[in-house]
Amino acid sequence: EVQLLESGGGLVQPGGSLKISCAASGFTFSSYAMSWVRQAPGKGLEWLSVISGSGGSTHYADSVKGRFTISRDTSKNTLYLQMNSLRGEDTAIYYCSFDMRHWGQGTFVTVSS
Amino acid sequence: DIVVIQSPESLAVSLGERVTINCKSSQSALYSFNNKNYLAWYQQKPGQPPKLLIYWASSRESGVPDRFSGSGSGTDFTLTISSLQAEDVAVYYCQQYLTPPFTFGGGTKVEIK
């Protein structure tokens, strides 16, 4: 059974950093591009970033480019999102997903003083 | 970047009636080399991650009821629910996945009248 389990969310001050993770199981992790998508409270879905199966190619939304870094560790079957220079508008549920049909339950990040 | 606009933002329809949601992309989502439209539709219920309904603009995901259908090509797409059921109350999103950033539409909230 495919499982995606996000973790690492929490409260962080504006300007701070946070690294969230997505532990994957039930499929060949290295075969799939992985994405991060977020949803601010009461708002729509916002695509953030994608990383190729090999990790050699990445893309970002303009809203996070230069602040967020997506990475993956195939040995740990884990996807990461390093978030720096966090702002209030980054407050959201952060989902990892792949193949469009598989999503985690999300981890909540709150940016507030 | 491709901008994706959904309409309407919300609608209320009687049980058993037809629902039509529109999605327009600022650039064609059609990849001419394989003649596929890189456009997906999702359903999201409160407290849940999105659920893939339709991919390649008109291919229904396994297990999705056949009252859900997708149509369109190029820049204009439609999600149709042929006969609204109570369990279809949700927010629906389209997403282009041709060119990163893989942008989502703003969402359409479907309610029962």
Side-chain angles (χ1 to χ4, degrees), chain A residues 13-31:
Chain A
Q13 291 191 335
S17 297
L18 194 66
K19 188 173 186 177
I20 58 176
S21 303
C22 170
S25 61
F27 65 102
T28 305
F29 183 66
S30 59
S31 294

Side-chain angles (χ1 to χ4, degrees), chain A:
Chain A
E1 180 192 4
V2 170
Q3 287 196 339
L4 297 172
L5 184 61
E6 300 93 338
S7 62
L11 176 64
V12 60
Q13 291 191 335
S17 297
L18 194 66
K19 188 173 186 177
I20 58 176
S21 303
C22 170
S25 61
F27 65 102
T28 305
F29 183 66
S30 59
S31 294
Y32 291 91
M34 299 289 298
S35 295
W36 286 102
V37 173
R38 72 182 177 186
Q39 187 167 36
K43 302 297 184 183
L45 301 171
E46 181 184 12
W47 181 89
L48 296 180
S49 184
V50 64
I51 186 168
S52 63
S54 67
S57 176
T58 59
H59 297 276
Y60 297 91
D62 288 345
S63 59
V64 303
K65 197 175 296 181
R67 299 190 300 127
F68 290 11
T69 302
I70 191 171
S71 62
R72 63 195 300 160
D73 185 336
T74 301
S75 69
K76 296 182 179 179
N77 280 3
T78 301
L79 175 73
Y80 302 100
L81 188 67
Q82 174 70 47
M83 303 182 290
N84 299 329
S85 303
L86 283 161
R87 309 163 180 166
E89 55 264 36
D90 295 318
T91 295
I93 299 172
Y94 286 73
Y95 296 103
C96 64
S97 78
F98 78 97
D99 201 27
M100 297 189 294
R101 50 186 52 82
H102 300 290
W103 295 72
Q105 291 300 309
T107 188
F108 199 83
V109 173
T110 303
V111 183
S112 175
S113 55

Side-chain angles (χ1 to χ4, degrees), chain B residues 33-55:
Chain B
F33 290 99
N34 60 10
N35 202 38
K36 288 184 180 293
N37 286 283
Y38 285 60
L39 191 286
W41 289 96
Y42 299 85
Q43 175 192 66
Q44 188 181 33
K45 296 181 179 180
Q48 297 182 18
K51 173 188 175 182
L52 179 67
L53 297 176
I54 303 287
Y55 57 97

